[in-house]
Amino acid sequence: MSEKNAEEKIKNILVFGATGTIGAAILKYLSMSYPSAQITGVSRRPQDATADLSNVTLHICDYGSDTALAQLSKIYEQHHAHVDELLITTGVLTAILDKPEKSVQQIDQEELLENLRINAVIPALIFKHFFRLLASAHAPRFGALSARIGSISDNRLGGWYAYRMAKSALNMFIKTASLELKRKNKQSVVVGLHPGTVKTKFSERFIKHTTKNCFTPEVAASQLIDVFQALTPAQSGGCFAWDGTEILP
Ligand SMILES: NC(=O)c1ccc[n+]([C@@H]2O[C@H](COP(=O)([O-])OP(=O)(O)OC[C@H]3O[C@@H](n4cnc5c(N)ncnc54)[C@H](OP(=O)(O)O)[C@@H]3O)[C@@H](O)[C@H]2O)c1
């Protein structure tokens, strides 16, 4: 497909987590790659990370709330007939603890619940409120930033209980959601995306000098979007890494 055709195909793009490190880089990459697309960024924070991006509109929304998401989808619907691409770039390594658990004795009930809420419940709520707008697109795409650590078969080191459990739950949500959206729209793609290790506030304390594949947010964003847009309906429900390889559950 020529660049122009690819650009025309993508009309309405919605990105949650507009002011996160990877989220802001994704918005910038999308804005540059698809200048004619209508791009909407959503953040909880009233700071305009998108001020210099002419084709991006920013909405402030507490997307952890069902009510706020219902309002946001109504507002969105007044301006857009459908969503072609929806990306969730939000998530945390730890919600309450200073660092992830190394042993079972460090397990904290509040951390488990809040980590699950942020990493898995919020993407599910967003999908619920934008399901109809996704289903009515020609070939809708939904992607949420997951992590290799959510793979059960890949777990060789243990530790990081809350984050592992939450990303596994997110991956199960993605598989289940892919089946429901497929019933409404055979062209749909619903996937988890693993960015690799990205230099952010989130990760810098855990990056060792031996860490392979450690990317800047800009490189991570371009890799993720290129992988996301190349995935086919037959691959819907899976989790894919920055290089396009599938991460098995
Ligand atoms: N960095 C890495 O190496 C790495 C590796 C694998 C996977 N990931 C995944 O990539 C995603 C983004 O990570 P990042 O490195 O860009 O992190 P980041 O810069 O810390 O951004 C975190 C994002 O999550 C949102 N968030 C934080 N706390 C929240 C809360 N309590 N409720 C709702 N939303 C909350 C923030 O939203 P606001 O902007 O609204 O505050 C922000 O958009 C995460 O899902 C993470 O698991 C990252």
Side-chain angles (χ1 to χ4, degrees), residues 16-23 42-45 61 63-64 89-93 114 117-119 122 145-148 163 167 193-203:
F16 283 81
T19 48
T21 315
I22 302 176
V42 183
S43 173
R44 295 171 309 155
R45 286 183 279 168
C61 170
Y63 46 77
T89 69
T90 58
V92 290
L93 176 58
E114 188 58 4
R117 188 185 74 80
I118 298 168
N119 281 312
I122 287 179
L145 292 192
S146 185
R148 187 181 297 281
Y163 189 54
K167 290 298 191 188
L193 297 165
H194 168 59
T197 304
V198 184
K199 284 178 210 148
T200 63
K201 276 185 288 172
F202 175 109
S203 66

Side-chain angles (χ1 to χ4, degrees), residues 20-93:
T21 315
I22 302 176
I26 281 180
L27 268 176
K28 208 170 197 174
Y29 182 74
L30 287 169
S31 168
M32 285 182 323
S33 308
Y34 304 103
S36 61
Q38 296 195 21
I39 304 172
T40 306
V42 183
S43 173
R44 295 171 309 155
R45 286 183 279 168
Q47 79 187 52
D48 198 351
T50 58
D52 55 338
L53 306 175
S54 58
N55 56 340
V56 176
T57 311
L58 186 71
H59 281 276
I60 306 303
C61 170
D62 176 12
Y63 46 77
S65 143
D66 236 334
T67 314
L69 281 170
Q71 280 167 357
L72 180 70
S73 65
K74 262 195 196 145
I75 294 169
Y76 191 86
E77 206 170 354
Q78 286 163 8
H79 302 279
H80 308 275
H82 53 259
V83 186
D84 295 291
E85 297 194 357
L86 196 161
L87 279 150
I88 300 181
T89 69
T90 58
V92 290
L93 176 58

Side-chain angles (χ1 to χ4, degrees), residues 100-111:
E101 316 85 340
K102 277 196 171 158
S103 95
V104 75
Q105 296 310 326
Q106 292 166 355
I107 284 180
D108 177 276
Q109 181 174 342
E110 290 306 313
E111 174 64 42

